[in-house]
Amino acid sequence: MAVKVLLEKCIGCGACIDACPFGALVLLDGKVDINEACSQCGACVDVCPENAIIREEVAKEAAMDKSQYKDVWVYVEIAEGVPRNVSLELLGEGRKLADATGERLGAILIGQGVEGVAATLFANGADKVYLVEAPELAHYNTDGYTTVVTDLIKEFKPSVILLGATNDGRDLGARVACRVGTGLTADCTDLGIDSETGLVAWTRPAFGGNIMATILCPEHRPQMGTVRPSVFKKPIPDATRIGEIIRVSSMVKAEDIRTKLLNAIKVSAGSCNLDEAEFIVSGGRGMGSPANFRFIEDLANVLGGSVGASRAVVDAGWKPHMHQVGQTGKTVGPKIYIACGISGAIQHVAGMSSSDIIIAINKDPDAPIFNISDYGIVGDALEVLPILTEKFREIKG
Ligand code: FAD
């Protein structure tokens, strides 16, 4: 979809300029002109009293020759100079998709001074790295990164793009999909290839998590989706793999970026970094009160891990939503997940069942959490947790 001004109809009244949330319209010689900040939201179309602004279907044109679109791409997120786990997980899955369709796996790497990361991307399955470096791109910003990824798609025409369902991936994916006129399946929990069509089959919870929907993108390219962190395992890196770096110049200018990063502050860094945590100690309603979460936090601290929570706990206001594990919270995959006073409802299990080792502490021997646990302790979590914490403290010296 593109937005176009019919100059012969435009009376230069400026109603569209006031309505545009992106400041993308200006008056030039008494007629409205649309600049690059346009997100094609259509707010101007709705307010024009002369019907002088129209939406034009360009997506179909882009999709007409789908054979031009080849290769699977992964958008790589960088945090403190290294790729985020979710990006490595997606390289692993992207590799499988690329092998299944006989295509190449590309990685989009954007930043400043990030070329050194390319070796890690090759080791984790990428054949090509599309590298865009510029001072304006040193940190993720919506305007700059959207322009860069959109330009890359227009130039190289990938068939599939995977992004993490993270704050940045969700922000970027939706905007880019809109700019290039394709669809996006958000928050996927599984990926595959549809045997009939050869298209990517994107699976995600739908209708409040009551069904799993599998979605195809038959008409438009690229096929795009965001995928939850930790639903897939990271591939085993192969340091002998090499690939091709394709360096692309950034067309982004500093004045194109409407936001400014003033400061980056880690929010309780260790305790709620569930996406990357190797150890997670999670508490449920069985912990009895918010104050009793100190037992959970003590054990998490000793293990150097993060604190999770069930939805019952979040709904009760004992912990903020950023700690929630499960279908409507985070999907996690630590080495060890310790569930304390959590019953094991299917919606909770959906978010943590891919943990390497699950340990449950519950005073009900028939609690469903024990059905998916590797180790179970039947007992009162308020008594067991301090003992465990003390033992681990001794072991760690
Ligand atoms: P409970 O089910 O009340 O279990 C408490 C457990 O603690 C019991 O097993 C009890 O035996 C045990 N216990 C009690 N006292 C002690 C003690 N002193 N020591 C040890 N054990 C003790 N839930 C999520 O967690 N995450 C989600 O993302 C999520 N999404 C949902 C989405 C939808 C659409 C729906 C309908 C529900 C969702 N839920 C989710 C809610 C889910 O169904 C459960 O209600 C919730 O997980 C229960 O939380 P809980 O295990 O802490 O509490």
Side-chain angles (χ1 to χ4, degrees), residues 6 80 133 206 303 386:
L6 302 174
E80 295 174 2
E133 290 186 301
L303 295 174

Side-chain angles (χ1 to χ4, degrees), residues 208-210 283-287 309-313 324-329 340-345 347-348 361-364 367 379-382:
N210 292 310
R285 195 176 355 230
M287 291 306 296
S310 71
R311 177 161 157 180
V313 161
Q324 185 179 316
V325 172
Q327 190 180 291
T328 43
C340 313
I342 292 177
S343 59
Q347 296 89 355
H348 186 83
I361 307 170
N362 198 302
K363 65 181 185 186
D364 174 4
D380 185 336
L382 307 183

Side-chain angles (χ1 to χ4, degrees), residues 111-140:
Q112 172 73 331
V114 290
E115 184 172 352
V117 173
T120 307
L121 307 182
F122 294 137
N124 283 275
D127 300 309
K128 297 179 183 180
V129 169
Y130 295 87
L131 175 66
V132 188
E133 290 186 301
E136 298 77 32
L137 304 171
H139 302 284
Y140 176 79

Side-chain angles (χ1 to χ4, degrees), residues 79 83-86 229-230 234 273-279 306 334:
R84 279 178 169 271
N85 283 345
V86 66
S230 306
K234 285 191 280 186
N273 186 11
L274 293 172
D275 292 340
E276 315 269 322
E278 296 202 333
F279 299 93
S306 295

Side-chain angles (χ1 to χ4, degrees), residues 165-177:
T166 57
N167 288 344
D168 292 354
R170 287 172 168 145
D171 180 57
L172 179 67
R175 284 163 199 276
V176 169

